[in-house]
Amino acid sequence: MCGRFTRNYTWQQIHALYRLTAPAAIPNFQPRFNVCPTDPADVVVPNDGARELVEMRWGLVPFWWSKPLKELRLATFNARVETVTTKPFFREPFKTKRCLMPVSGYYEWQDTPGGKQPNYFTARDGSPVLTIAGLWDEWKNRETGERIKSCTMIICEPKGAPPPGGSSSGLVWESRGV
């Protein structure tokens, strides 16, 4: 399960990688080395035949959620690839709201006798960006009318032997195929 990730890339790097449409103001990304669930995350989404970068809440809130946001106590920041088409939280976004989530690396924790030990994973080729498959949705707070866009990472079992401390990994796209 990916419970933390990092962002340490530039606008130029992701603009070139994803062939993004340029916004009115070019973002000045600040490095973030401990992005947690419910924090803002960068997400690449299609928009009228192009791609744009949007900031969303990391932890999916489905459009049909009828309770206040603070009552959402499920861990919706990861969606397992094996159940993404059947779990109610992810089924509809999987059909129509797929996205890409750029990250620089992510953490997996290993249980040790001294406590949990974080292990940090990055691209094998040294690239500053890993592309994780994701889903997104938009929820409307029925009390205030506020709209929140949110996302989740699709995770899978690691290929081959799991890395030390890693029981799952993000579904990573090859950069050439993005």
Side-chain angles (χ1 to χ4, degrees), residues 60 63 79-99 133-137 152 154 171 173:
L60 193 85
F63 74 92
R80 294 203 65 82
V81 71
E82 300 87 358
T83 59
V84 75
T85 61
T86 58
K87 294 282 184 183
F89 267 71
F90 308 120
R91 187 174 43 226
E92 288 304 313
F94 182 75
K95 292 177 186 176
T96 60
K97 294 184 177 168
R98 298 178 190 183
C99 63
L135 307 173
W136 71 278
D137 210 342
T152 186
I154 300 176
L171 190 54
W173 295 118

Side-chain angles (χ1 to χ4, degrees), residues 131-144:
T131 302
I132 310 277
L135 307 173
W136 71 278
D137 210 342
E138 186 171 18
W139 171 76
K140 182 178 178 182
N141 184 324
R142 293 185 173 140
E143 295 172 358
T144 66

Side-chain angles (χ1 to χ4, degrees), residues 2 4 20 26 59 61 65 71 91 95 97 109 130-131 136-137 163 168 172:
C2 178
R4 297 277 195 279
L20 298 171
I26 303 300
V61 182
W65 183 254
E71 291 186 33
R91 187 174 43 226
K95 292 177 186 176
K97 294 184 177 168
W109 277 263
L130 288 170
T131 302
W136 71 278
D137 210 342
S168 64
V172 178

Side-chain angles (χ1 to χ4, degrees), residues 32 39 73 95-96 120 154 167 178:
R32 294 174 56 205
D39 282 354
R73 301 200 192 284
K95 292 177 186 176
T96 60
Y120 183 60
I154 300 176
S167 60
V178 174

Side-chain angles (χ1 to χ4, degrees), residues 107-135:
Y107 296 96
E108 292 281 347
W109 277 263
Q110 180 177 17
D111 288 322
T112 67
K116 290 190 174 198
Q117 175 66 42
N119 293 290
Y120 183 60
F121 299 93
T122 60
R124 286 187 181 141
D125 65 1
S127 168
V129 182
L130 288 170
T131 302
I132 310 277
L135 307 173

